[in-house]
Amino acid sequence: MRILGIETSCDETAAAIVQNVPHNKNRGFIISNIVQNQLKIHAEYGGVVPELASRAHITNISVVVNAALQKADITPAELDGIAVTVGPGLIGGLLVGVAVAKGMALATNKPLVGVHHMEGHLMSPFLLDDPDKTVDDDQVDFPFVALLVSGGHTLLLHARGFNDYVLLGQTKDDAVGEAFDKGARMLGLDYPGGPAIAKLALNGDNKAHKFPRILLDKNRFDFSFSGLKTSLRTHLIKNPPNEEDHKSRSDIAASYQEAIVETLTIKAINACRHTKCPRLLVAGGVGANRRLRELLVENAGDEVKVTFPNMNVCTDNGAMIALAGLHRLENGYRDGWELNARARWPLAEL
Ligand code: KG4
Ligand code: ZN
């Protein structure tokens, strides 16, 4: 099966073609994967401006979809299905993707399937760039604990099988990506804040300042990042770093990043112990954070096998949507012309 996946829920216009892998039913091979980001458009505003994002999706979508088809060297008529992100996300962008997917499905008479954005992220560690690559199938397989960390979500799930997800915990306020983005803004860094903080933190001392680790109770898997954000604000008011003083700004960035990644690490490993599940899959934009990767692997030891998606499918992309759509189609799901974009869509409703 070859599936087109379309993703327009935030500020990436993305399309990809993914094919199933005969020797492992969960995995998908990326034939093409095109992502057009809108960083330049939103940079001067310090965050994504929804109206500008929808307009950019309208401008980019046909170019991106055509590029994905051309790179894969197939025509729409040769596809086995069309998958699209239905939500959650920014409604204007979602409407563009859903309209295009419906139009293509109607024109080609191919099955249409709507995908939950976070189920897409959940499938990203199963994506392969090379179908013949030897992979440790035992390491990336159900059941697993998933730590889904993006700009809009912070979720811990027990994924017992495809479409069989038990929610263990989620954020009570800001998403972890937001904590990075808002913290970066306070430090005068550009959007997206995650990579900017990670870069500034590189030469910093992560023990220089003690920022709070919140809700660390062993048997609770919910998160809260607003207190951490406030403590950064208070710290910066009380001790304003000199713009020229790179070392002190690096120390703050490293200490702030450490508070975030340590909280995620402790909770994710506790969740594996609680569910007696020795596999942890990390996905979503924040999963690209190298310090998070390092600390998770260090704390997991021999007890838990930790897997991350390849860097090229960590942040938003069409390949993860195509793979989730491929599994949905294989499991008998189809959507009709009534398929609608959903700005809000709790994963628990899947
Ligand atoms: O999954 P994603 O591309 O989009 C959403 O679904 O939200 O995640 C975007 C988020 C942003 O908040 C961005 O700052 C964060 O992921 N991010 C990072 C890194 N790369 C992206 N956060 C920390 N470290 C990174 N290296
Ligand atoms: Zn995302």
Side-chain angles (χ1 to χ4, degrees):
M1 279 176 98
R2 284 181 296 182
I3 307 294
L4 167 68
I6 297 176
E7 158 60 40
T8 55
S9 69
C10 192
D11 60 341
E12 264 100 16
T13 314
I17 314 288
V18 167
Q19 186 171 352
N20 51 341
V21 177
H23 56 80
N24 185 319
K25 65 179 170 49
N26 291 320
R27 288 177 181 270
F29 157 56
I30 303 173
I31 310 181
S32 66
N33 188 23
I34 308 291
V35 180
Q36 172 74 57
N37 75 45
Q38 306 174 1
L39 288 182
K40 280 201 185 121
I41 297 172
H42 303 288
E44 64 176 294
Y45 304 98
V48 178
V49 183
E51 185 51 34
L52 296 182
S54 3
R55 286 183 218 170
H57 285 307
I58 292 173
T59 311
N60 296 338
I61 188 79
S62 53
V63 177
V64 168
V65 169
N66 280 329
L69 289 165
Q70 264 172 25
K71 190 152 184 239
D73 197 22
I74 67 171
T75 64
E78 291 169 308
L79 290 168
D80 296 292
I82 297 168
V84 61
T85 305
V86 164
L90 301 174
I91 192 68
L94 292 167
L95 283 167
V96 175
V98 171
V100 167
K102 277 191 197 176
M104 285 186 73
L106 185 62
T108 54
N109 201 22
K110 299 291 172 187
L112 170 71
V113 63
V115 170
H116 190 291
H117 182 76
M118 296 315 287
E119 184 173 65
H121 276 301
L122 192 70
M123 296 316 297
S124 59
F126 290 86
L127 285 164
L128 297 175
D129 288 320
D130 175 355
D132 300 321
K133 199 164 136 190
T134 319
V135 287
D136 181 354
D137 283 338
D138 181 51
Q139 174 145 353
V140 187
D141 199 2
F142 294 103
F144 57 85
V145 168
L147 175 66
L148 297 183
V149 279
S150 72
H153 293 85
T154 311
L155 297 169
L156 262 174
L157 302 176
H158 186 200
R160 300 186 297 194
F162 183 74
N163 201 26
D164 180 6
Y165 316 128
V166 179
L167 181 65
L168 301 171
Q170 59 188 326
T171 184
K172 292 181 170 299
D173 39 58
D174 290 346
V176 61
E178 259 180 293
F180 271 108
D181 295 335
K182 291 178 180 170
R185 206 180 309 173
M186 288 182 228
L187 284 163
L189 301 170
D190 286 341
Y191 178 85
I197 288 197
K199 192 172 165 207
L200 183 60
L202 271 181
N203 300 317
D205 172 6
N206 61 26
K207 294 190 178 60
H209 307 285
K210 189 78 188 156
F211 290 115
R213 278 74 167 150
I214 293 167
L215 292 178
L216 280 185
D217 181 335
K218 232 180 164 179
N219 294 312
R220 289 178 64 186
F221 303 108
D222 285 333
F223 300 89
S224 167
F225 293 104
S226 67
L228 172 64
K229 196 179 63 187
T230 308
S231 96
L232 174 62
R233 181 173 296 122
T234 313
H235 179 88
L236 291 172
I237 292 170
K238 283 190 189 154
N239 320 281
N242 186 331
E243 281 303 304
E244 311 298 305
D245 185 356
H246 186 74
K247 172 77 178 105
S248 72
R249 294 177 76 242
S250 295
D251 286 351
I252 298 172
S255 304
Y256 184 71
Q257 171 177 263
E258 196 68 9
I260 297 178
V261 303
E262 199 178 303
T263 307
L264 295 176
T265 300
I266 292 173
K267 282 183 179 280
I269 303 291
N270 279 347
C272 291
R273 289 185 184 136
H274 174 82
T275 53
K276 300 190 173 49
C277 188
R279 291 191 204 102
L280 174 67
L281 264 62
V282 184
V286 178
N289 187 281
R290 290 193 189 278
R291 179 63 188 145
L292 173 64
R293 291 179 172 223
E294 196 176 85
L295 205 64
L296 275 170
V297 171
E298 204 177 293
N299 279 264
D302 296 331
E303 192 184 348
V304 176
K305 288 181 179 174
V306 194
T307 304
F308 308 92
N310 284 341
M311 284 295 193
N312 63 337
V313 288
C314 231
T315 48
D316 290 351
N317 64 87
M320 65 186 197
I321 303 303
L323 183 58
L326 189 151
H327 290 322
R328 291 215 152 250
L329 290 170
E330 280 177 341
N331 283 282
Y333 292 90
R334 298 275 185 289
D335 283 297
W337 309 128
E338 72 290 350
L339 182 68
N340 270 327
R342 295 178 68 173
R344 292 186 187 281
W345 185 7
L347 192 73
E349 282 178 22
L350 263 188

